Amino acid sequence: QAGGHTRAFGCNFPKDKIADVVKTLTMELKSVPRDLFAEDDKSNFKCLFKDAINIDMYKMLESFEPYGHGFEKPVFATDVEVVKAYRFGKQNNHTKFILKDNNGDQREIVAFFEMRDFRPGTKLQVNYTINWDNWEQGPGARIQQIFIKE
């Protein structure tokens, strides 16, 4: 059958069972622990850096491609503390951060066109997805920053 991807599936069931299927799926989804999701956006998975930014997670996410409208790439949310932040670029309009999660794991991220001032010790939530790249530190799974919430 054409379309979809390797993780896509379809199913058939009698029309008179639609209500039962919806009820069962709703009950199953309610059993997913709420602390896996960021408080302000139920589509963001709350985690530590080490749980999201690694080759195994990257490969798993890649296996679910293609992403697009109606099937968005998962977004992770990590509570962090600013260790260091400084602006750079020709117009001084980007910020490079060193952020520490609640487990003490530090990561460097670049926030393009981020003009807010962040002092060391500032508590933030960074929402991101991950990509593979070969930038500066060599090949690896890296944060693709979506937004930063104070």
Side-chain angles (χ1 to χ4, degrees):
Q1 187 169 350
H5 52 84
T6 57
R7 299 284 195 253
F9 75 97
C11 61
N12 294 312
F13 47 86
K15 287 181 183 178
D16 63 329
K17 298 293 182 187
I18 291 175
D20 292 337
V21 170
V22 170
K23 181 179 177 182
T24 301
L25 289 174
T26 301
M27 288 175 54
E28 288 296 320
L29 287 172
K30 285 182 179 178
S31 71
V32 176
R34 300 308 333 159
D35 63 350
L36 290 179
F37 300 94
E39 292 176 23
D40 61 333
D41 186 341
K42 300 302 180 202
S43 66
N44 292 349
F45 294 94
K46 195 152 192 175
C47 62
L48 296 170
F49 283 142
K50 70 179 180 66
D51 297 324
I53 310 167
N54 59 66
I55 187 64
D56 294 330
M57 179 64 73
Y58 173 77
K59 285 181 178 180
M60 184 186 73
L61 293 176
E62 185 181 47
S63 75
F64 291 123
E65 290 180 346
Y67 296 104
H69 182 70
F71 187 62
E72 312 301 327
K73 191 170 186 179
V75 174
F76 301 96
T78 301
D79 294 325
V80 299
E81 180 180 323
V82 175
V83 175
K84 184 177 181 180
Y86 61 93
R87 291 208 192 129
F88 71 99
K90 286 182 181 179
Q91 298 170 336
N92 214 28
N93 58 346
H94 310 304
T95 302
K96 186 176 276 192
F97 291 93
I98 297 176
L99 302 174
K100 177 174 65 174
D101 69 15
N102 293 334
N103 201 40
D105 188 14
Q106 292 187 13
R107 299 293 168 125
E108 183 179 281
I109 70 165
V110 173
F112 294 100
F113 306 104
E114 176 60 69
M115 298 295 291
R116 293 177 286 173
D117 289 318
F118 296 98
R119 298 191 184 288
T122 302
K123 304 281 188 189
L124 306 171
Q125 182 183 84
V126 61
N127 295 49
Y128 57 93
T129 188
I130 60 173
N131 285 326
W132 187 266
D133 74 33
N134 294 308
W135 191 61
E136 286 186 1
Q137 301 95 346
R142 309 260 194 271
I143 289 177
Q144 179 181 339
Q145 177 254 335
I146 307 298
F147 66 89
I148 295 172
K149 179 182 173 190
E150 289 186 73

